[in-house]
Amino acid sequence: MQTVEGDEVLAGGAVSSLRGAVLDVRFCRPPLPAIDQAIEVGEPGGRTVIAEVQSHLDERTVRCIALQPTSGLKRGDPARATGAALTAPVGENVLGRLLDVTGAVGDNGPPLPKDTPRWPIHREPPPLAMRPATGDLFHTGIKVIDLLVPMARGGKAAMFGGAGVGKTVLVMELINAMVTGYQGISVFAGVGERSREGHEMLLDMRESGVIGRTVLVYGQMNEPPGARWRVPMTALTVSEYFRDTLHRNVLLLMDNVFRFVQAGAEVSGLLGRLPSRVGYQPTLASEVAALQERIASVGEASITAIQAVYVPADDFTDPAVTTIAAHVDSMVVLSRAMAAEGMYPAIDPIGSSSVLLDPLIVGDEHAQVAMDVRRALEHYRELQDVISLLGMEELGAADRRTVERARRLQRFLTQPFVVTEAFTGVAGKQVSLKDTIAGCRAILDGECDGWRESSLFMVGTLDDARAKEKAAG
């Protein structure tokens, strides 16, 4: 990012037009600040609003999008070009803190030390030559994910689902898995989150003692679209500093990436651009790519991204959903039908997929068991119409056995979560991949054919299910 030197950094101007979050700033003299550079609007020493240049209207006027509320601003207010992109505080000093898009502290704690380094939020992705091949798996302790949708360290995983199917709970459980299984840094980007959710997450992290290795970056629902649009970039910049300078592994969690796209569509409309398909911004593909391509491993350190993606009206053909899906390695699809049946986590084992489910990466045994589990569940799904119309009695012996085993597999892949203990009263379980594979293989081989289905529901390992079966008599 080039910075203008000398007096041009302090090039002054004034607000010539103000429409909500959109500002037109007229400068006294060229050169104009570049696209994506920050401008401070307001009286020096008083309240200032940070805006970002989005277009050049003529030789002396730029159009900007405000990253903070513009209430109180008026035409004629002074504006100052900073000569660089917006910067965010990074490093050890931001651990345990809650920041907004500009890096201001939002947790009522003391201000950040003055010597805290700052990096620009717009950065180039690392070149392909610097990215090592991804081979190490990220073990979550969640059976259905580790078996059927394995995630990679340094990879990108996304959880797609409509409203109320459990995306945020799953993200919280993955934070818990990172803290218990990996001694890395977690950076949480709350994009368009409700204020209540941000407050609850801050309290939960303080109570569990993990806040010291976590950075929370929020652009909440009540903030201007510019803040919600740029807050993932701030979180990415914090993550990149830990990866590149301190060489530490980072788990980047984003909830919710659809709100990032939605904010971009709002900004595009405010700037007067013509909409594209389904009303989305014409720059949808390039905006998503600019975000996703910065998530990568460099050398020994990696950024592993897990993203929640809201699916509007459960329509998986929505342009925002398909554009985000094109960038991820592991695609976890949450099913409303499974949530309605109480099968939690409500992950659709057929609709979910991962490029890592390959014998060369996960091993022959894991790949074979995963394929057999998928085949059994798919066969059960094909027969469901027949069963609902005619009953199980009309099935042949082989089909009936497959259906019974598939139902047991479906229940074995449910699991109580650590983060839901307070609500359910059931202790959460973390299950190793070895135990998950062994349990599924035993069910496929018929070892559990005589068991009650309820014995396999909401348990950890097969040993837990065996104990439950014995207790039931």
Side-chain angles (χ1 to χ4, degrees):
M1 181 66 67
Q2 290 188 341
T3 303
V4 183
E5 297 295 339
D7 294 339
E8 292 170 359
V9 172
L10 302 175
V15 175
S16 61
S17 174
L18 175 61
R19 298 175 307 284
V22 178
L23 309 165
D24 289 352
V25 177
R26 189 164 180 79
F27 285 88
C28 306
R29 54 187 167 81
L32 293 179
I35 303 294
D36 288 340
Q37 286 194 358
I39 288 180
E40 292 179 355
V41 183
E43 296 290 346
R47 176 179 177 262
T48 57
V49 171
I50 295 176
E52 196 175 82
V53 177
Q54 291 302 313
S55 61
H56 294 174
L57 300 183
D58 57 40
E59 292 180 350
R60 290 171 57 189
T61 311
V62 295
R63 181 159 288 169
C64 312
I65 195 81
L67 304 184
Q68 296 169 315
T70 55
S71 56
L73 292 185
K74 60 187 182 300
R75 285 178 63 186
D77 278 349
R80 185 181 72 90
T82 61
L86 175 68
T87 60
V90 293
E92 300 279 1
N93 290 334
V94 299
L95 288 173
R97 306 307 300 268
L98 188 150
L99 310 174
D100 70 5
V101 66
T102 65
V105 175
D107 54 12
N108 295 327
L112 295 172
K114 285 192 167 56
D115 60 351
T116 303
R118 297 183 76 95
W119 275 17
I121 67 168
H122 296 290
R123 298 169 54 77
E124 290 295 317
L128 283 172
M130 291 178 63
R131 304 187 190 191
T134 300
D136 294 339
L137 295 181
F138 175 73
H139 295 296
T140 66
I142 300 170
K143 290 181 285 191
V144 65
I145 289 180
D146 288 345
L147 179 70
L148 300 177
V149 204
M151 297 179 179
R153 289 177 66 184
K156 296 186 277 279
M159 291 169 292
F160 296 86
V165 293
K167 297 185 297 298
T168 300
V169 171
L170 206 47
V171 167
M172 292 286 288
E173 187 70 10
L174 289 165
I175 291 175
N176 179 73
M178 178 68 176
V179 169
T180 54
Y182 300 88
Q183 296 301 309
I185 301 293
S186 294
V187 178
F188 181 86
V191 187
E193 288 282 270
R194 300 168 186 87
S195 302
R196 169 187 59 78
E197 291 175 335
H199 184 63
E200 285 175 359
M201 179 164 280
L202 182 60
L203 290 177
D204 288 345
M205 288 193 164
R206 280 177 174 163
E207 287 171 8
S208 59
V210 304
I211 191 72
R213 294 205 303 277
T214 306
V215 186
L216 302 175
V217 188
Y218 273 90
Q220 296 175 134
M221 220 174 242
N222 60 330
E223 295 187 47
R228 288 180 271 123
W229 189 41
R230 288 310 189 203
V231 77
M233 303 301 184
T234 301
L236 256 173
T237 302
V238 172
S239 304
E240 286 169 339
Y241 182 87
F242 284 115
R243 180 195 67 192
D244 298 342
T245 304
L246 302 182
H247 307 294
R248 301 187 61 181
N249 291 324
V250 180
L251 177 65
L252 173 64
L253 299 122
M254 286 193 273
D255 189 6
N256 186 304
V257 182
F258 177 78
R259 305 286 178 214
F260 159 73
V261 172
Q262 205 172 35
E266 287 180 53
V267 168
S268 183
L270 288 168
L271 294 172
R273 295 175 186 150
L274 287 173
S276 183
R277 282 192 306 153
V278 201
Y280 286 109
Q281 61 270 44
T283 51
L284 171 64
S286 57
E287 285 177 15
V288 172
L291 175 69
Q292 300 288 351
E293 287 306 305
R294 286 172 62 182
I295 300 166
S297 298
V298 175
E300 294 297 314
S302 64
I303 298 176
T304 304
I306 296 174
Q307 309 162 35
V309 183
Y310 168 68
V311 179
D314 291 344
D315 178 14
F316 284 86
T317 63
D318 186 88
V321 175
T322 55
T323 303
I324 295 165
H327 288 273
V328 299
D329 309 315
S330 304
M331 183 172 170
V332 180
V333 175
L334 293 159
S335 160
R336 190 170 299 283
M338 290 185 67
E341 291 176 20
M343 299 287 181
Y344 288 106
I347 295 170
D348 181 354
I350 309 302
S352 303
S353 61
S354 171
V355 297
L356 300 162
L357 195 56
D358 183 304
L360 296 173
I361 297 173
V362 299
D364 292 331
E365 184 188 17
H366 181 166
Q368 187 61 50
V369 169
M371 193 185 304
D372 292 345
V373 167
R374 272 224 174 94
R375 188 180 293 123
L377 292 171
E378 182 63 42
H379 193 49
Y380 171 42
R381 189 169 288 184
E382 289 169 359
L383 293 169
Q384 272 182 326
D385 286 345
V386 176
I387 294 166
S388 59
L389 287 170
L390 303 173
M392 287 274 284
E393 295 75 20
E394 296 301 314
L395 297 178
D399 282 345
R400 197 180 308 167
R401 185 169 60 247
T402 300
V403 166
E404 287 170 352
R405 289 176 184 173
R407 286 176 61 86
R408 284 171 171 78
L409 281 168
Q410 213 174 42
R411 280 148 184 77
F412 181 65
L413 291 175
T414 62
Q415 186 171 343
F417 281 172
V418 173
V419 296
T420 59
E421 280 183 28
F423 311 109
T424 62
V426 180
K429 301 283 186 181
Q430 293 272 307
V431 184
S432 69
L433 177 61
K434 182 182 173 186
D435 288 337
T436 300
I437 292 171
C440 290
R441 174 48 65 201
I443 294 169
L444 288 164
D445 289 344
E447 289 181 29
C448 309
D449 282 358
W451 292 15
R452 296 175 179 85
E453 288 180 1
S454 59
S455 298
L456 292 154
F457 182 64
M458 283 292 170
V459 295
T461 63
L462 197 66
D463 289 337
D464 295 338
R466 189 176 283 112
K468 198 172 172 184
E469 175 72 12
K470 282 183 182 173

